[in-house]
Amino acid sequence: MDYLEALRLTNRIYARLVGRRPIFDRREQYYEGKQPLSFATDEWKKANAARYTGFSDNWTRPVVDAEGERIKHTGLKLGKDMDAAAEKLWNQWLYNEMEMQSSQGFVSSLITSRSFVIVWGDSNDEPTITWEHASDVEIEYDWANPRIRKAALKTWADEKLEYATLYTPDQVWKFQRSRSMAKDDKESQAEQAKVNAVSEGGWVPRQVADEPWPLPNPIGVVPVVEIPNRPMLRGDPVSEIQGVMPMQDAINLLWAYLFLSADYASMPARVVLHQGPPMTPVIDMTTGKEIGKKAVDMKDLAEKRLLYLSGADTSIDSWDAAKLDVFTDTIEIAVGHIAAQTRTPPTYLVSKTGMSNVNGEGLKASEIGLVKKTLEFQTFATPALREVYRLVALAMGDQSLAQATRLATVTWMNPEIRSESQLADALVKKKKMGYPLEYLMEVDGLDPLEVKRVLAMAARESKEAMSFGVQAAIDSEAPIEPTP
């Protein structure tokens, strides 16, 4: 690949990346509760929009968090007699703080529909792993086989420049250009890093000290892996909140209408019939005669609770307070729809719909959909994590270990949440069935290092118990009487 071809590929991937950024930003804003209010009429919007600026009854966050808190990668297993090699890879996972990074990355995939992992090497030839946001990274796949990564682009920006790094199997091309638009200095650094105005072209080589340009790729493959959320065969991955957002708009609008009704019609009100506005005489202070009339200040009447009416047909009537449960009942139904459509248990959404007088088994059954959805995510994420570990092995220069990772078993935390007593009871029963202790500890959610540590402790305790038992038997043995 020559310079012009690399530049054209950078521009093409960058254009696709920029086209997705507004969609991802909007989804994240909804997750954070920054949701613009929708209004049924322009008149209502003009009169009341400013009163509810910033209000959000956010239901998109629990939909994501309910699944995200059940996703945790706990380790990997290689073939027979390869425990040391598996531990070597797991150590790299821990060195790169991937427990924290993966937690953020999985949630980002649920919100935006995808995230990315980049594996490279540092100045000491140690693997570095970074989990990247979908607004910053894009992969170019082979048209004939979408499992093959032909190239990948990583972008970012600082206060002056925008950067792009193009990864190919053989080379790494680094570019930069002047930033199109800077953010407000008062914004957070995360907001300042976002590029609003973009344009194609303008990229120039970015020279790094003591590096050739382009940089040879020692790994030999594109070191970027996509972590998708429920990818489609002929489409993009799916965001968990994309279908929730319209219903979220409707819920916020209903709350705004409810608040307005609470202001104007939530208390009983009286009305005067067959009588014009009360009038008071205007007196000439010099003559003491009435020279006219003026309307009574209605605010003064309301404060003094005093009203004098005249006229044969004058009467007072009232209307009842508005019933606000019309709005709350509709909101409750909308929340129930969100629960059903996203397979989120009603207990997570504080919904009373269908959850009255439900026992423990019923509550557990209500979470089946969420558990299955989490297992489905693991199905798509497992091959991606295998590829991440393969890239780590390649970055370490270990070809045989990289080959072994292709058949690695990726382990996850059990997405079914049970009480300690329920879990302990299940583990005891499986132990009686013959399940080995190591497997039971994996079911209990321990990572590989903890499993190894607990096994060593169990072996030591068993040895000490055996020694103690033998010594006790010796000490308690009665002296043998000589035979007469």
Side-chain angles (χ1 to χ4, degrees):
M1 179 181 293
D2 60 18
Y3 170 75
L4 291 179
E5 187 178 356
L7 194 58
R8 283 194 294 267
L9 183 58
T10 297
N11 284 327
R12 184 170 76 247
I13 300 177
Y14 185 84
R16 191 163 66 240
L17 181 63
V18 169
R20 292 204 314 240
R21 282 175 177 169
I23 300 173
F24 295 157
D25 287 345
R26 185 166 182 265
R27 290 170 182 171
E28 288 197 328
Q29 287 172 358
Y30 269 74
Y31 175 77
E32 294 169 2
K34 301 173 183 176
Q35 301 154 0
L37 282 175
S38 300
F39 301 95
T41 63
D42 289 337
E43 292 79 9
W44 200 99
K45 181 177 181 179
K46 292 177 182 178
N48 302 288
R51 304 180 65 187
Y52 307 107
T53 300
F55 170 79
S56 171
D57 183 24
N58 190 5
W59 296 100
T60 58
R61 181 182 286 270
V63 167
V64 172
D65 290 350
E67 183 177 356
E69 69 186 18
R70 294 168 184 252
I71 301 173
K72 182 181 179 181
H73 170 48
T74 57
L76 81 158
K77 286 184 169 295
L78 300 177
K80 185 179 180 181
D81 300 326
M82 295 193 69
D83 290 345
E87 183 177 343
K88 186 178 179 181
L89 291 174
W90 182 249
N91 286 340
Q92 292 298 329
W93 181 272
L94 298 179
Y95 290 154
N96 286 274
E97 300 179 344
M98 291 301 288
E99 290 178 304
M100 175 269 292
Q101 288 199 65
S102 64
S103 179
Q104 295 173 321
F106 291 143
V107 169
S108 185
S109 288
L110 297 177
I111 298 170
T112 64
S113 76
R114 68 186 87 192
S115 60
F116 298 86
V117 177
I118 299 179
V119 179
W120 197 242
D122 61 13
S123 57
N124 297 320
D125 292 330
E126 289 291 329
T128 61
I129 315 172
T130 58
W131 212 295
E132 304 285 344
H133 193 276
S135 293
D136 301 327
V137 178
E138 169 70 334
I139 294 177
E140 176 90 350
Y141 293 99
D142 190 306
W143 287 96
N145 185 353
R147 293 175 56 214
I148 298 175
R149 306 184 303 277
K150 294 179 61 178
L153 186 69
K154 155 72 175 174
T155 66
W156 72 99
D158 60 20
E159 66 274 12
K160 294 182 179 180
L161 298 173
E162 186 177 6
Y163 304 92
T165 298
L166 177 68
Y167 296 95
T168 68
D170 303 318
Q171 297 166 314
V172 178
W173 302 78
K174 298 183 178 182
F175 299 97
Q176 69 182 40
R177 66 182 178 186
S178 297
R179 183 164 181 174
S180 302
M181 179 184 294
K183 299 286 287 185
D184 191 332
D185 289 341
K186 296 181 181 179
E187 295 281 2
S188 67
Q189 186 171 348
E191 286 295 323
Q192 291 173 357
K194 295 180 180 178
V195 180
N196 289 342
V198 295
S199 62
E200 292 188 14
W203 297 109
V204 297
R206 172 164 50 93
Q207 300 287 349
V208 179
D210 300 326
E211 274 190 8
W213 195 94
L215 180 68
N217 182 356
I219 295 180
V221 295
V222 175
V224 184
V225 180
E226 182 175 356
I227 313 294
N229 182 58
R230 288 192 288 150
M232 310 293 288
L233 280 177
R234 295 188 63 185
D236 290 326
V238 178
S239 165
E240 289 296 332
I241 64 173
Q242 185 60 41
V244 180
M245 290 160 62
M247 189 66 77
Q248 177 68 65
D249 291 339
I251 291 172
N252 285 345
L253 179 62
L254 287 170
W255 275 115
Y257 285 164
L258 184 150
F259 293 152
L260 187 67
S261 298
D263 257 0
Y264 286 98
S266 62
M267 298 179 65
R270 292 186 176 86
V271 58
V272 176
L273 303 176
H274 311 297
Q275 171 69 34
M279 309 292 287
T280 58
V282 178
I283 307 297
D284 186 338
M285 300 303 294
T286 58
T287 63
K289 295 182 179 180
E290 180 180 335
I291 59 175
K293 292 185 178 181
K294 66 176 182 179
V296 175
D297 186 350
M298 300 304 293
K299 181 179 179 181
D300 188 53
L301 290 177
E303 290 178 351
K304 296 181 178 179
R305 305 293 194 272
L306 177 65
L307 179 63
Y308 175 78
L309 299 172
S310 62
D313 299 326
T314 300
S315 62
I316 296 177
D317 205 344
S318 65
W319 61 74
D320 296 332
K323 294 183 178 180
L324 302 181
D325 56 359
V326 175
F327 297 101
T328 55
D329 288 348
T330 306
I331 291 172
E332 185 70 28
I333 293 173
V335 174
H337 281 219
I338 291 175
Q341 293 166 7
T342 62
R343 292 186 284 175
T344 304
T347 48
Y348 277 83
L349 302 180
V350 196
S351 170
K352 64 175 181 284
T353 304
M355 298 304 294
S356 300
N357 300 321
V358 178
N359 58 23
E361 290 299 320
L363 290 172
K364 184 177 179 181
S366 71
E367 297 190 356
I368 291 177
L370 177 59
V371 171
K372 292 298 183 182
K373 185 169 68 168
T374 305
L375 292 173
E376 185 179 23
F377 179 88
Q378 295 176 5
T379 300
F380 297 123
T382 291
L385 291 188
R386 280 200 198 100
E387 181 63 9
V388 170
Y389 282 115
R390 187 173 82 94
L391 293 176
V392 171
L394 291 174
M396 297 167 66
D398 193 333
Q399 293 289 338
S400 61
L401 180 56
Q403 183 65 22
T405 58
R406 300 183 66 181
L407 296 176
T409 299
V410 176
T411 59
W412 301 84
M413 179 186 73
N414 187 353
E416 185 179 2
I417 296 178
R418 292 178 287 186
S419 67
E420 286 291 329
S421 60
Q422 288 176 323
L423 180 58
D425 182 59
L427 294 177
V428 169
K429 290 178 178 178
K430 287 186 176 182
K431 180 63 177 177
K432 291 180 179 179
M433 293 171 62
Y435 281 75
L437 177 61
E438 183 175 356
Y439 175 81
L440 295 177
M441 285 189 288
E442 292 175 0
V443 173
D444 196 26
L446 300 184
D447 64 47
L449 296 182
E450 279 293 290
V451 169
K452 185 177 180 179
R453 189 172 72 91
V454 175
L455 284 174
M457 293 168 61
R460 186 173 63 252
E461 286 185 357
S462 178
K463 183 178 179 179
E464 291 174 353
M466 182 176 294
S467 300
F468 178 79
V470 170
Q471 187 62 46
I474 294 174
D475 294 340
S476 63
E477 187 175 344
I480 301 175
E481 296 292 337
T483 305

